[in-house]
Amino acid sequence: MPILPRSRHAPMRAEPLPDASVVRTAAFPNWTHPMSTLCSFVLVHGAFVDGSGWRQVHDILAEKGHEVLVTQHPTLSLDADVEVVGRSIAQARYPVVLVGHSYGGAVISQAGNDPKVRSLVYVAAFVPDSGESVADLTANPPAEVTPPPIVADDGWLSIDRDRFAETFSADIPAAEARFMAASQAAWGGAAFSGVVAQAAWKTKPSHYVVATEDRMIPLFAQRQMAGRAGATAIEIPASHAVMISRAAQVAEIIERAGQDIV
C-alpha cells in the first residue's frame, strides 16, 4: 500500500500474536448449530472492485433462505460509503450481520455503530480503531513487507493492471482475474484517508477471515488487527479475493456470525 510520510498512529508491525487471540485451523471447522434467530446479511465490498465480487457468497446464503443485501458504494470517501451502507442497513428486514472485505472493513467499523447491526465480519479486511484510517494502518510498513503495486494518479489509487492477478486474485480463474483488473474502480484519497470516528468492534462481536496467501494485506497485519479487535478468527489459505476463491467457506463463517444475534 502507499506509504505516508507521517502517521498519527503506530503502524502495524510483524510481531507475534498471542495464540488466544486468533483461532487457527488446519481444516475448516464444521459448524453444526442451526441459526435460531432471523437476521439479514449486508455485504460491503472493498476498494478497486464492486459488489459483484460477493456474487457467490450471496447466492449461497440466499439459497438457504437468508435475506442478503449487497452494497454498491463508490469508494470515493469514507463518509459517503458509510452513508450508502447505512441505507442498506435501514432496508434490511431483520437485525444485521455486517460484512466487509478489504477497505470495506473501515466502512463497517463506522457503519456498524447502527443499533440494527448486531455482529461484524471482517474478510481479509482493514480494522481501524477510533481515530484511525486505512492510511494510518498502511503507513511505514516493516522493511520485509513488499508493498502491493498501487498506482497513484492525481489523488486516485489503483492497482497496476499487469500485476493485479498476482497481487489481488492469484487463486481465481485467469480470465476472471483479467476482467477484475480491467474493470477496477479507482479508490478515492478521501476514502483511503477517511478516519473512523467510533470503531463498532469495540462494542459488538466480531469475526475475521484471515487470508493467509494475501498479497494486499500482509498476514501478520491481518492477525494483529483481528487480535486487537478481539475477533474470532479463522485462517483460510487464499488470496485477497478469498470471498471468490473460497466462497463456501466464507459464507459459512458469515452464517455462523448470525449466531451472535439473540
Side-chain angles (χ1 to χ4, degrees):
M1 301 295 293
I3 299 175
L4 299 187
R6 291 181 296 175
S7 173
R8 294 180 293 105
H9 299 268
M12 292 294 177
R13 294 297 180 188
E15 299 171 351
L17 184 71
D19 289 343
S21 299
V22 170
V23 177
R24 299 182 178 87
T25 58
F28 188 72
N30 180 25
W31 304 115
T32 58
H33 301 292
M35 293 181 62
S36 58
T37 305
L38 288 174
C39 65
S40 299
F41 298 102
V42 177
L43 310 181
V44 180
H45 66 79
F48 313 120
V49 295
D50 64 12
S52 63
W54 287 114
R55 177 61 187 271
Q56 295 181 67
V57 171
H58 165 277
D59 290 353
I60 292 168
L61 293 172
E63 286 172 3
K64 293 184 176 183
H66 300 301
E67 180 182 53
V68 187
L69 302 176
V70 181
T71 67
Q72 290 285 19
H73 46 286
T75 69
L76 303 181
S77 75
L78 179 63
D79 289 344
D81 293 337
V82 169
E83 182 178 356
V84 171
V85 171
R87 290 200 293 269
S88 291
I89 294 170
Q91 292 168 4
R93 295 187 181 96
Y94 310 111
V96 169
V97 174
L98 190 59
V99 185
H101 171 251
S102 193
Y103 158 71
V107 179
I108 72 169
S109 291
Q110 183 63 48
N113 289 295
D114 188 304
K116 200 171 179 180
V117 175
R118 304 295 180 80
S119 182
L120 304 168
V121 182
Y122 294 88
V123 179
F126 293 104
V127 189
D129 199 349
S130 302
E132 206 169 49
S133 68
V134 174
D136 293 320
L137 291 175
T138 58
N140 308 315
E144 65 270 21
V145 172
T146 301
I150 301 295
V151 178
D153 182 12
D154 195 25
W156 298 92
L157 305 175
S158 61
I159 301 174
D160 183 335
R161 288 195 300 273
D162 293 335
R163 298 182 60 191
F164 188 98
E166 67 181 75
T167 305
F168 195 102
S169 51
D171 55 355
I172 70 172
E176 187 173 1
R178 284 195 299 271
F179 181 79
M180 290 176 68
S183 63
Q184 66 176 300
W187 190 13
F192 175 61
S193 61
V195 173
V196 171
Q198 180 179 351
W201 52 261
K202 289 190 170 183
T203 59
K204 300 186 180 183
S206 300
H207 302 255
Y208 197 108
V209 177
V210 177
T212 63
E213 305 303 318
D214 196 334
R215 296 181 183 176
M216 290 294 296
I217 305 179
L219 176 58
F220 80 84
Q222 293 183 65
R223 288 173 172 169
Q224 191 171 358
M225 288 186 289
R228 181 175 70 167
T232 299
I234 296 294
E235 299 197 349
I236 298 177
S239 74
H240 195 57
V242 59
M243 71 289 188
I244 299 174
S245 63
R246 299 291 186 270
Q249 291 175 305
V250 171
E252 195 166 5
I253 293 170
I254 292 171
E255 188 175 31
R256 181 67 177 84
Q259 294 293 322
D260 293 335
I261 294 178
V262 295

